[in-house]
Amino acid sequence: MKTEIKKIGVFTSGGDAPGMNAAIRAVVRTALYHKVEVVGIMKGFEGMISGEFMDMDMHSVANTIHRGGTILKTSRCPEFKTPEGRKKAYDNLKAAHIDALIAIGGDGTFVGVDIFGKEYKMPIMGIPGTIDNDLYGTDFTIGYDTAINTVVNAVDKIRDTAESHDRLFIVEVMGRDNGLIALRSAIGVGADSVLIPDSKRDFDFLIKRLEMGRRYKSSKIIMVGEDEEDGGFGMRIGEMVREKFPNYDTRVSVLGHLQRGGKPTCMDRVLASRLGVSSVEQLLKGRKGEMLGLVHGNVAYTPFAAAVKHIEDINDSMLKIVEILSL
Ligand code: F6P
């Protein structure tokens, strides 16, 4: 493989996601396979700014494919949004002879590397790692499959209580403003309804659903996406349902950060491994400024600026499936 790149820096940034370690492992081993040095940058942009680097070898990533979280640690770093912060980061990378970067993260990460790559002419490729699945240019992000399986397992347990006590449960899940965790897991758990902050199905629609179903079914599961703006969406829906249907014994369960942890599923490990290998090989072939993804089973490339645009709407047919199957 012909390349000018001698040393690659890899880092994770933003919220951790199960499968990030599998991606780091794939990047490290592929770089070493192609006789390119690789350095781990600790805590994302924060470690780039403070110069916290770690040489990686075959053994640094041994026994990591099955572990959740990220061995390189991660952070959300406001300082990288400033030109001064990015200058410090560049000076540190230069001093460590790092020629190129592989960023594993979500939309905040790719907004940052897009600016940085152009500002300092640094070749960078991105790997989508976030439980939210909110990036354009990949069917799935690393961590999403594990997160929805975690949600499904949790809600299966909640259903035991819902059925035993004849209760209505509002279950709030993560996913920022896009609601894709709520939507897919709603189908997976056989929810009675789903409410997503930006969806066309509003509270009145939920009321109609509850009025239709209440005569013959005493326990209910309503999946609710989080409202990133001011939080507490599940609680607010819970209050409204209690007011409108005082006869239902209503409870709200907010699943929170348990959705981000745990062993990655096989699907996330394979996705991370495929994108990790390709990210290095494509960087060495001269690609830059793009996020890798899997589209219809094949590796695809999307410029960072397009990947973070959130162009895809909530899939109406998925909402319809929840409606039909909850009759
Ligand atoms: O982006 C992943 C995510 O878990 C979102 O679903 C959630 O809104 C956010 O991160 C929470 O971030 P933090 O862990 O920084 O509170």
Side-chain angles (χ1 to χ4, degrees):
M1 207 162 285
K2 236 179 114 208
T3 176
E4 303 291 298
I5 296 172
K6 303 234 165 2
K7 200 190 262 191
I8 294 174
V10 59
F11 65 96
T12 49
S13 165
D16 62 301
M20 279 183 161
N21 286 326
I24 297 166
R25 171 180 178 269
V27 168
V28 170
R29 295 209 164 153
T30 309
L32 297 176
Y33 178 87
H34 290 290
K35 313 262 179 288
V36 172
E37 283 179 77
V38 59
V39 169
I41 300 166
M42 302 303 292
K43 293 190 198 151
F45 297 132
E46 210 174 287
M48 223 182 264
I49 290 172
S50 62
E52 221 182 312
F53 301 153
M54 183 171 80
D55 288 336
M56 308 284 281
D57 60 21
M58 292 292 181
H59 307 295
S60 328
V61 288
N63 269 319
T64 57
I65 195 166
H66 60 295
R67 283 166 59 189
T70 158
I71 55 166
L72 293 179
K73 297 187 182 282
T74 187
S75 67
R76 304 196 190 274
C77 177
E79 197 182 349
F80 198 75
K81 293 186 180 152
T82 67
E84 297 76 25
R86 294 195 294 274
K87 167 86 170 63
K88 278 191 213 159
Y90 178 73
D91 290 345
N92 286 330
L93 294 174
K94 219 174 140 203
H97 304 289
I98 294 170
D99 316 299
L101 292 173
I102 291 180
I104 306 167
D107 58 353
T109 307
F110 298 144
V111 168
V113 290
D114 193 31
I115 298 170
F116 187 68
K118 289 171 183 158
E119 206 165 39
Y120 290 103
K121 314 241 169 315
M122 166 84 60
I124 308 175
M125 290 298 277
I127 299 177
T130 164
I131 63 164
D132 298 342
N133 203 31
D134 58 349
L135 291 161
Y136 179 76
T138 189
D139 291 342
F140 297 106
T141 56
I142 296 164
Y144 177 64
D145 185 64
T146 307
I148 54 177
N149 277 292
T150 302
V151 169
V152 165
N153 285 329
V155 178
D156 286 351
K157 290 180 178 133
I158 288 173
R159 186 184 282 282
D160 289 345
T161 300
E163 278 186 18
S164 304
H165 286 261
D166 286 341
R167 280 181 183 163
L168 181 152
F169 268 88
I170 312 274
V171 183
E172 184 191 293
V173 294
M174 281 187 166
R176 290 196 191 276
D177 49 1
N178 80 6
L180 290 179
I181 295 179
L183 183 55
R184 193 166 279 258
S185 59
I187 296 175
V189 301
D192 296 275
S193 197
V194 59
L195 255 182
I196 298 163
D198 65 352
S199 92
K200 292 156 205 140
R201 306 288 202 271
D202 56 15
F203 186 67
D204 293 341
F205 184 80
L206 174 66
I207 299 291
K208 274 195 210 115
R209 302 288 309 154
L210 291 178
E211 276 166 350
M212 271 172 66
R214 64 197 299 216
R215 268 162 297 158
Y216 61 92
K217 203 172 162 204
S218 48
S219 74
K220 295 209 174 289
I221 304 284
I222 315 292
M223 298 302 293
V224 168
E226 66 179 349
D227 184 351
E228 205 211 347
E229 285 300 304
D230 51 1
F233 191 53
M235 291 295 176
R236 288 204 298 281
I237 297 297
E239 281 313 306
M240 285 152 86
V241 169
R242 275 191 196 105
E243 207 172 286
K244 188 90 190 155
F245 298 101
N247 293 341
Y248 274 124
D249 188 4
T250 301
R251 293 287 189 284
V252 179
S253 198
V254 179
L255 297 190
H257 284 84
L258 76 81
Q259 296 161 87
R260 286 239 293 264
K263 275 171 177 285
T265 58
C266 184
M267 184 165 151
D268 275 329
R269 297 180 199 194
V270 174
L271 176 64
S273 301
R274 286 186 71 182
L275 299 186
V277 170
S278 294
S279 65
V280 174
E281 296 193 331
Q282 294 303 319
L283 199 55
L284 297 183
K285 280 184 183 158
R287 286 196 99 105
K288 59 182 176 182
E290 291 170 316
M291 183 197 82
L292 294 102
L294 217 56
V295 177
H296 306 313
N298 297 313
V299 177
Y301 310 93
T302 306
F304 288 132
V308 300
K309 278 256 155 56
H310 303 263
I311 318 176
E312 269 165 327
D313 275 343
I314 276 291
N315 186 332
D316 268 339
S317 67
M318 297 275 278
L319 280 168
K320 191 73 191 167
I321 288 171
V322 179
E323 188 184 327
I324 293 171
L325 299 184
S326 65
L327 272 184

